[in-house]
Amino acid sequence: MSRTPRSERVEPVAKATEMVFEAELMQLRRVAARERQLRLSLEALERRASERFLQSVDKAEGEDLAYAEGQDRAWRDWISVRRSNLQAELATTLAEKSDRMAALSQSLGRKDIAGRMHRSSLSEERRAALARDLANLQELAVLLNGGKRKPPLQ
């Protein structure tokens, strides 16, 4: 089947939009993985904070309460700073995820349109090829019959 100029122009566009879509999808996956990691870190931090508090209460019974209270305050301050840092990072990651999702949606639209255009051009090529083949078969049939006509029925 011969290629038409339209399909030759559209095919690279369809391939390029597919590659852009795949790149956008890969970036979104990286951002989503970072989001999961940050959420897990926040959960682990919350678990450690609750466990540490309970441990410090148990140990403080037989020791200097002022020292235990100072340690516990330092621990809570560290937890608070770490939580704030993780939440800020998560907020930044969520904003980036939103941007990536918008870019992915746009590239998906472009990919779909380019794919449809390419399939349409290929479909037109197939129809044209079938029409040529049919014309050739009809011509061959006329040649094989030698131009013989059957007498009309009376």
Side-chain angles (χ1 to χ4, degrees):
M1 175 177 1
S2 65
R3 306 286 299 194
T4 64
R6 180 175 179 228
S7 68
E8 288 176 356
R9 284 191 316 265
V10 174
E11 185 176 12
V13 173
K15 287 181 181 178
T17 56
E18 174 76 26
M19 290 181 348
V20 168
F21 173 76
E22 291 297 327
E24 290 289 344
L25 185 59
M26 185 174 54
Q27 289 176 351
L28 180 62
R29 284 181 179 153
R30 268 192 248 138
V31 171
R34 178 70 180 141
E35 176 192 2
R36 277 190 305 276
Q37 189 256 338
L38 287 169
R39 288 186 188 278
L40 289 173
S41 294
L42 275 168
E43 287 176 18
L45 184 67
E46 293 303 325
R47 260 193 323 275
R48 288 178 59 199
S50 65
E51 290 170 2
R52 174 65 180 183
F53 178 74
L54 293 176
Q55 287 175 358
S56 66
V57 169
D58 290 342
K59 288 183 180 179
E61 290 177 9
E63 296 179 12
D64 182 18
L65 288 178
Y67 177 76
E69 185 179 325
Q71 290 296 318
D72 190 53
R73 178 172 288 291
W75 175 252
R76 282 184 283 146
D77 288 346
W78 181 85
I79 291 286
S80 178
V81 168
R82 182 71 179 136
R83 182 183 298 121
S84 295
N85 289 342
L86 285 172
Q87 287 173 339
E89 235 182 300
L90 180 60
T92 303
T93 301
L94 289 173
E96 184 180 356
K97 182 181 178 183
S98 176
D99 292 345
R100 292 286 165 213
M101 288 178 73
L104 182 68
S105 177
Q106 193 174 44
S107 69
L108 176 62
R110 289 179 179 150
K111 173 183 149 302
D112 285 347
I113 289 170
R116 283 187 211 149
M117 288 173 60
H118 186 245
R119 285 189 301 275
S120 173
S121 68
L122 292 177
S123 179
E124 289 172 12
E125 288 175 6
R126 282 188 212 107
R127 277 193 292 271
L130 285 173
R132 279 191 310 273
D133 290 347
L134 181 59
N136 289 339
L137 284 174
Q138 287 173 344
E139 190 177 311
L140 183 61
V142 168
L143 290 174
L144 286 176
N145 287 332
K148 300 178 192 173
R149 290 183 171 229
K150 290 186 178 181
L153 295 174
Q154 295 182 12

